[in-house]
Amino acid sequence: MKLLIFAVFLLVTLFQVKCQTDKQKELLAQHYKQCVEQTHVDQNVLQQARAGNFTDDPKLKDHILCITKKIGFQDEAGHLQKEVIQKKLKEAVKGNEDQTKKLMEACAITNQDPKLQAFNAFKCIHHKAKINLL
Ligand SMILES: *[C@@H]1O[C@H](CO)[C@@H](O)[C@H](O)[C@H]1NC(C)=O
Protein backbone atom coordinates (compact mmCIF):
# COMPACT_ATOMS: atom_id res chain seq x y z
CA MET A 1 0.00 0.00 0.00
CA LYS A 2 2.76 2.41 0.96
CA LEU A 3 4.54 1.52 -2.23
CA LEU A 4 1.43 2.24 -4.25
CA ILE A 5 1.01 5.66 -2.64
CA PHE A 6 4.63 6.39 -3.32
CA ALA A 7 4.29 5.31 -6.96
CA VAL A 8 1.25 7.53 -7.45
CA PHE A 9 3.04 10.42 -5.79
CA LEU A 10 6.05 9.92 -8.05
CA LEU A 11 3.91 9.83 -11.16
CA VAL A 12 2.08 12.99 -10.22
CA THR A 13 5.36 14.76 -9.52
CA LEU A 14 6.91 13.63 -12.78
CA PHE A 15 3.83 14.75 -14.64
CA GLN A 16 3.97 18.19 -13.03
CA VAL A 17 7.63 18.61 -13.89
CA LYS A 18 6.99 17.60 -17.47
CA CYS A 19 4.15 20.06 -17.80
CA GLN A 20 6.30 22.81 -16.46
CA THR A 21 9.13 22.22 -18.92
CA ASP A 22 6.61 21.91 -21.75
CA LYS A 23 5.12 25.22 -20.72
CA GLN A 24 8.52 26.83 -20.56
CA LYS A 25 9.42 25.52 -23.97
CA GLU A 26 6.14 26.74 -25.37
CA LEU A 27 6.68 30.15 -23.86
CA LEU A 28 10.19 30.33 -25.24
CA ALA A 29 8.90 29.36 -28.68
CA GLN A 30 6.34 32.16 -28.48
CA HIS A 31 8.97 34.69 -27.49
CA TYR A 32 11.17 33.50 -30.26
CA LYS A 33 8.42 33.87 -32.83
CA GLN A 34 7.46 37.36 -31.65
CA CYS A 35 11.05 38.50 -31.68
CA VAL A 36 11.68 37.12 -35.16
CA GLU A 37 8.58 38.92 -36.42
CA GLN A 38 9.74 42.10 -34.78
CA THR A 39 13.39 42.07 -35.80
CA HIS A 40 13.36 40.07 -39.07
CA VAL A 41 16.59 38.44 -38.08
CA ASP A 42 18.14 36.31 -40.79
CA GLN A 43 17.43 32.63 -40.07
CA ASN A 44 20.90 31.66 -41.19
CA VAL A 45 22.54 34.17 -38.87
CA LEU A 46 20.33 32.91 -36.06
CA GLN A 47 21.27 29.29 -36.76
CA GLN A 48 24.91 30.28 -36.68
CA ALA A 49 24.45 32.01 -33.34
CA ARG A 50 22.77 28.93 -31.92
CA ALA A 51 25.82 26.98 -32.89
CA GLY A 52 28.03 29.53 -31.14
CA ASN A 53 28.97 31.76 -34.08
CA PHE A 54 27.71 35.13 -32.93
CA THR A 55 27.98 37.32 -36.01
CA ASP A 56 28.26 41.07 -35.65
CA ASP A 57 24.83 41.60 -37.16
CA PRO A 58 22.51 44.43 -36.09
CA LYS A 59 19.35 42.35 -36.50
CA LEU A 60 20.83 39.52 -34.48
CA LYS A 61 21.59 42.02 -31.73
CA ASP A 62 18.02 43.32 -31.89
CA HIS A 63 16.74 39.79 -31.67
CA ILE A 64 18.89 38.92 -28.67
CA LEU A 65 17.82 42.13 -26.93
CA CYS A 66 14.19 41.24 -27.63
CA ILE A 67 14.67 37.77 -26.12
CA THR A 68 16.52 39.05 -23.04
CA LYS A 69 13.66 41.41 -22.31
CA LYS A 70 11.04 38.72 -22.76
CA ILE A 71 12.79 36.23 -20.52
CA GLY A 72 13.45 38.96 -17.97
CA PHE A 73 17.25 39.17 -18.20
CA GLN A 74 16.96 42.92 -18.76
CA ASP A 75 14.15 45.28 -17.93
CA GLU A 76 12.70 47.74 -20.42
CA ALA A 77 15.31 50.33 -19.45
CA GLY A 78 18.08 47.83 -20.17
CA HIS A 79 19.12 47.09 -16.61
CA LEU A 80 20.48 43.60 -16.03
CA GLN A 81 18.23 41.55 -13.78
CA LYS A 82 20.91 39.51 -12.10
CA GLU A 83 18.58 37.47 -9.93
CA VAL A 84 16.64 36.26 -12.93
CA ILE A 85 19.79 35.47 -14.86
CA GLN A 86 21.26 33.62 -11.93
CA LYS A 87 18.15 31.51 -11.48
CA LYS A 88 18.06 30.60 -15.15
CA LEU A 89 21.74 29.78 -15.31
CA LYS A 90 21.53 27.66 -12.20
CA GLU A 91 18.74 25.63 -13.78
CA ALA A 92 20.78 25.25 -16.93
CA VAL A 93 23.82 23.91 -15.08
CA LYS A 94 21.64 21.62 -12.98
CA GLY A 95 22.08 23.48 -9.72
CA ASN A 96 25.85 23.77 -9.77
CA GLU A 97 26.44 26.81 -7.51
CA ASP A 98 30.08 27.16 -8.35
CA GLN A 99 29.57 27.17 -12.08
CA THR A 100 26.62 29.53 -11.76
CA LYS A 101 28.76 31.98 -9.80
CA LYS A 102 31.57 31.82 -12.34
CA LEU A 103 29.17 32.34 -15.23
CA MET A 104 27.57 35.31 -13.49
CA GLU A 105 30.93 36.91 -12.85
CA ALA A 106 32.15 36.34 -16.38
CA CYS A 107 28.99 37.00 -18.38
CA ALA A 108 26.50 39.21 -16.53
CA ILE A 109 28.46 42.36 -17.30
CA THR A 110 26.85 45.77 -17.32
CA ASN A 111 27.23 47.70 -20.55
CA GLN A 112 25.83 51.13 -21.36
CA ASP A 113 24.44 49.77 -24.59
CA PRO A 114 21.63 47.32 -23.71
CA LYS A 115 22.02 45.60 -27.06
CA LEU A 116 25.70 44.93 -26.58
CA GLN A 117 25.03 43.94 -23.01
CA ALA A 118 22.55 41.31 -24.16
CA PHE A 119 24.67 40.16 -27.09
CA ASN A 120 27.85 39.82 -25.03
CA ALA A 121 26.07 37.99 -22.24
CA PHE A 122 24.50 35.42 -24.57
CA LYS A 123 27.75 34.93 -26.42
CA CYS A 124 29.70 34.53 -23.20
CA ILE A 125 27.19 32.06 -21.73
CA HIS A 126 27.30 30.04 -24.92
CA HIS A 127 31.08 29.99 -25.09
CA LYS A 128 31.62 29.21 -21.43
CA ALA A 129 28.88 26.70 -20.81
CA LYS A 130 27.39 25.77 -24.19
CA ILE A 131 24.04 27.05 -22.96
CA ASN A 132 21.85 28.15 -25.82
CA LEU A 133 19.17 30.67 -24.93
CA LEU A 134 18.12 31.53 -28.45
C1 LIG B 1 29.42 32.69 -38.97
O1 LIG B 1 28.18 33.17 -39.43
C2 LIG B 1 28.28 34.09 -40.53
C3 LIG B 1 26.87 34.61 -40.83
O2 LIG B 1 25.97 33.59 -41.12
C4 LIG B 1 28.95 33.39 -41.72
O3 LIG B 1 29.08 34.31 -42.77
C5 LIG B 1 30.31 32.86 -41.28
O4 LIG B 1 30.88 32.11 -42.34
C6 LIG B 1 30.17 31.98 -40.05
N1 LIG B 1 31.50 31.60 -39.57
C7 LIG B 1 31.80 30.34 -39.23
C8 LIG B 1 33.18 30.13 -38.68
O5 LIG B 1 31.02 29.42 -39.37
Side-chain angles (χ1 to χ4, degrees):
M1 189 60 191
K2 257 188 195 153
L3 201 64
L4 183 67
I5 291 172
F6 179 70
V8 169
F9 173 76
L10 196 68
L11 272 178
V12 170
T13 310
L14 284 177
F15 183 69
Q16 280 172 346
V17 169
K18 188 182 171 332
C19 283
Q20 234 174 28
T21 35
D22 281 355
K23 233 194 230 154
Q24 267 187 357
K25 267 190 205 148
E26 204 177 292
L27 208 64
L28 204 63
Q30 266 177 31
H31 291 163
Y32 162 82
K33 204 168 147 250
Q34 285 168 359
C35 288
V36 168
E37 277 166 11
Q38 195 182 313
T39 63
H40 303 289
V41 62
D42 186 291
Q43 285 300 318
N44 194 28
V45 170
L46 195 56
Q47 277 316 119
Q48 288 286 337
R50 288 204 178 108
N53 173 17
F54 285 77
T55 320
D56 191 6
D57 179 290
K59 283 183 185 165
L60 177 62
K61 285 180 184 160
D62 284 341
H63 181 74
I64 294 176
L65 179 66
C66 177
I67 298 273
T68 55
K69 281 186 181 165
K70 287 204 190 290
I71 63 179
F73 276 24
Q74 305 196 124
D75 63 11
E76 280 302 317
H79 297 126
L80 279 182
Q81 306 297 301
K82 293 204 176 179
E83 270 159 45
V84 180
I85 303 175
Q86 188 163 358
K87 189 163 165 269
K88 194 91 187 170
L89 286 181
K90 201 170 157 188
E91 274 169 25
V93 297
K94 300 183 175 56
N96 187 327
E97 300 267 1
D98 199 43
Q99 203 185 352
T100 306
K101 194 161 161 271
K102 282 192 186 135
L103 279 173
M104 286 301 292
E105 277 166 10
C107 302
I109 308 292
T110 307
N111 190 305
Q112 278 189 334
D113 180 351
K115 254 185 231 178
L116 268 182
Q117 184 173 259
F119 183 78
N120 289 339
F122 269 42
K123 189 168 150 184
C124 174
I125 290 167
H126 198 296
H127 284 179
K128 295 221 179 277
K130 296 267 174 294
I131 298 169
N132 173 38
L133 300 164
L134 287 172

